[in-house]
Each structure stands twice: as C-alpha cells, then as structure tokens.
Amino acid sequence: EAEIDYHDKLYWNSNEPKISDEEYDLLKSELRVLDPTNPRVTKVHAQVTNSAISKYQHKNPMLSLDKFYSKDLIIGWMNKISRHDKELFKIQLKLDGIASKLEDSRLSTRGDGLEGEEHTSKIPFIKFNIKENQNPQLGEIIITDSFFEKNLKERYKNSRAATVGLMSKIVVDEIKDCGLEFVDYNI
C-alpha cells in the first residue's frame, strides 16, 4: 500500500513517475491478490485539478478500463470472465492521455469517475476523431508523439504531460494549434 501511495503521489502530483505503467500495474495486481477489497485496487485517480475549471457531474459513472501488457494476459482474462466459448470482446491499444467524454455537446474529463472537469470551451481547439451519431462519446484526449516531438518537447517532459498541461489552461486561446485530439474509443 505504501509503495502504491508513493508512486501515486509521484505520478499525479509531480508528474515525475519513477516506474513504468506496467510496473505500477503489477504492484496493484499484487495488492489485488493479497487484499481484493483494498480501496487502492479499485480507486480511479483524478487528474491534478485546476480549481478555476468548472466541475462536471457525470450522469453515469465514467469507469476506468482494464489494461494488459501481453497476449497471454488478455487470453487469461478473457477465459476467466467469459460466459461462453463464443463471447466477443473489444480489445484496443491504450492511449496515454486524459480519459474524457463528449456528451450532449459538453466535453469533460473522467476525474474520479463521478465528477470530472468541464472543458466545453476548448472544443474549437481540439481535433475530434469520433464516430458520428453517438452520445455519449467516450475517448481519450491526446497529443500524438510525432506532434509532440516536432512542437512541444522543449516545453514538456512527454506527450501526456503536454496534454495535461494544456488542458489545465484557463485561457483557451493558449491551446490553439497545440495538437490536442479527442480519439473516440469506438474508432
């Protein structure tokens, strides 16, 4: 628990992780085996919030997605939870940005799953890769590594840090032409 708390603080408060996402997930998996009811196993972390940004209450909880690092782990998970041999699963590559929702023309982040931050005013400055006629649209706000390398690497440590930093801006003109994209999970 203490090790997970330590790495949470490094990741969420200072954006200075000392271990990879995979190593972190292994720590949480170990805790899940030792203490399945521990709140750290199911906790959804919120982005570092800017108190000047409006809060958004999700109509339905916006939960975290499961992630795996190998084909064998995916197959093991599928075998464990499938109800029959012909059950279908949706598996996609993980995007490293900010989990977000576009619902009723309002853009919000996941936050803690019940309450996020509203970023509707930033919609004109974000490229949307979405499936039409869906409400809500769940996805990830990202900056591609290629855009980051070409335009932002002098200002930010990595593309995810750039995404978080730019989305926390209050003056929306500051994010113009910064490569922010919303990628719908259904694309």
Side-chain angles (χ1 to χ4, degrees):
E1 288 179 29
E3 194 170 351
I4 289 170
D5 287 344
Y6 169 75
H7 290 293
D8 282 347
K9 286 176 186 154
L10 290 174
Y11 187 85
W12 293 105
N13 297 344
S14 62
N15 198 26
E16 295 286 335
K18 300 280 186 229
I19 61 175
S20 70
D21 286 352
E22 185 173 2
E23 291 168 309
Y24 177 82
D25 291 340
L26 288 172
L27 283 174
K28 287 193 87 164
S29 293
E30 185 179 336
L31 182 58
R32 186 176 289 116
V33 170
L34 296 171
D35 183 6
T37 61
N38 191 301
R40 284 168 188 81
V41 172
T42 56
K43 181 178 179 183
V44 175
H45 291 283
Q47 300 294 333
V48 176
T49 59
N50 185 328
S51 60
I53 295 175
S54 298
K55 301 300 177 204
Y56 180 83
Q57 296 293 321
H58 296 296
K59 292 176 185 175
N60 296 305
M62 191 173 169
L63 305 175
S64 184
L65 303 174
D66 284 332
K67 56 187 166 186
F68 301 97
Y69 294 95
S70 75
K71 182 179 173 183
D72 291 339
L73 289 174
I74 292 170
I75 292 169
W77 172 80
M78 289 168 40
N79 289 335
K80 179 178 161 188
I81 69 157
S82 66
R83 292 166 287 205
H84 54 80
D85 290 345
K86 305 236 185 279
E87 187 160 13
L88 299 175
F89 292 88
K90 181 178 184 176
I91 299 169
Q92 57 196 148
L93 295 175
K94 182 187 182 311
L95 299 172
D96 199 13
I98 302 174
S100 302
K101 179 190 321 186
L102 182 62
E103 182 171 34
D104 300 327
S105 302
R106 295 173 75 182
L107 179 65
S108 64
T109 58
R110 180 178 60 216
D112 66 3
L114 301 175
E115 178 181 79
E117 293 180 338
E118 183 164 349
H119 292 279
T120 304
S121 63
K122 296 174 180 145
I123 288 175
F125 304 104
I126 299 171
K127 176 183 172 187
F128 283 82
N129 300 304
I130 58 176
K131 222 175 188 182
E132 295 297 323
N133 302 320
Q134 264 185 251
N135 188 43
Q137 290 165 320
L138 302 175
E140 200 89 6
I141 297 175
I142 65 162
I143 295 173
T144 63
D145 287 340
S146 58
F147 186 92
F148 171 79
E149 287 296 322
K150 193 174 186 181
N151 301 288
L152 299 170
K153 71 177 181 180
E154 302 302 320
R155 291 175 31 201
Y156 296 97
K157 185 175 180 176
N158 55 50
S159 60
R160 185 177 187 289
T163 303
V164 172
L166 290 165
M167 287 301 292
S168 69
K169 300 281 187 191
I170 302 301
V171 179
V172 293
D173 284 348
E174 293 179 28
I175 68 168
K176 186 178 181 181
D177 302 321
C178 285
L180 291 165
E181 295 184 35
F182 177 98
V183 180
D184 188 325
Y185 291 140
N186 290 309
I187 298 280

